[in-house]
Every structure is written in C-alpha cells, then in structure tokens.
Amino acid sequence: MQPTAPLLRRLRRLALTTKQVNGGYYKGTGSGSMGRHTKHGGYIIDYKKVRTYVVPPELKDFKLTPFVTKTMEPLKGFFEGDPKGGLSGERYLDRWKRENGMD
C-alpha cells in the first residue's frame, strides 16, 4: 500500500533530517560562525561577523518591563558558615547519608 500522490508530494517538501540522508549531512543550528579556528586549537573572533543589536532611541522611556520583578529580595544561601560553600565534599556526603541511609 502506498500513500496518495498529493500526500507523497507533501512529505517530500518537509525539511530533511540527519536520519533521512547518508553521512555528510550536517543540519547545524543556524548560529553561523563568528570567526575562525587557528592551527594551534585557538579561535580568533572576526568582529565584522559578530551580530550587534542596536536598541531604537524611542525605547528609552518604554513602559513595559521584563517578567522578572525588580523588588525580589536575594535568597540566603545555606553555606554561610562553610568556607568551601556548596562545593564541600563533606557536606555532600553527609546529606547523601541522611537521604539514602548508610550502606
């Protein structure tokens, strides 16, 4: 059983995926290059290729605000007394033992 001709034409117009073609097809993300790679493994940014966004001057006194409130107080961390902060291995192991029990 085969699909009808109009349906088959519609299927062929869809965008290709990497599973539909042989090797060598790379879809990419549409981000484009911002420079070039060096032979030593570095990367040189070409500032002619970098995207710059210019805010129109009439948006200076714009009334809409972002979705994040400006009046939110910062959250207090749980690691004030620990010099290593949240990266302390001892604190991680203590919590793991509390939640999972001793093995």
Side-chain angles (χ1 to χ4, degrees):
M1 183 172 186
Q2 290 190 344
T4 61
L7 180 61
L8 190 58
R9 273 181 284 186
R10 180 174 290 154
L11 288 175
R12 290 181 194 247
R13 270 194 304 231
L14 293 175
L16 288 174
T17 65
T18 55
K19 294 182 179 182
Q20 292 172 329
V21 293
N22 291 331
Y25 175 72
Y26 179 70
K27 186 174 181 179
T29 59
S31 60
S33 70
M34 297 292 165
R36 63 182 174 86
H37 293 280
T38 64
K39 65 180 181 181
H40 302 290
Y43 193 76
I44 297 175
I45 295 176
D46 184 5
Y47 287 100
K48 292 183 282 186
K49 292 182 172 183
V50 175
R51 294 178 188 92
T52 55
Y53 301 100
V54 179
V55 178
E58 63 267 8
L59 290 181
K60 184 178 180 183
D61 298 325
F62 198 63
K63 300 296 180 200
L64 291 180
T65 58
F67 293 117
V68 180
T69 180
K70 295 179 181 178
T71 60
M72 183 173 172
E73 294 184 21
L75 296 174
K76 301 289 183 194
F78 297 105
F79 311 108
E80 286 91 9
D82 194 355
K84 294 182 183 176
L87 301 176
S88 171
E90 294 87 9
R91 185 178 293 271
Y92 174 78
L93 288 175
D94 290 339
R95 181 173 175 186
W96 190 88
K97 288 177 185 176
R98 259 187 290 129
E99 293 178 3
N100 298 309
M102 295 291 290
D103 285 338

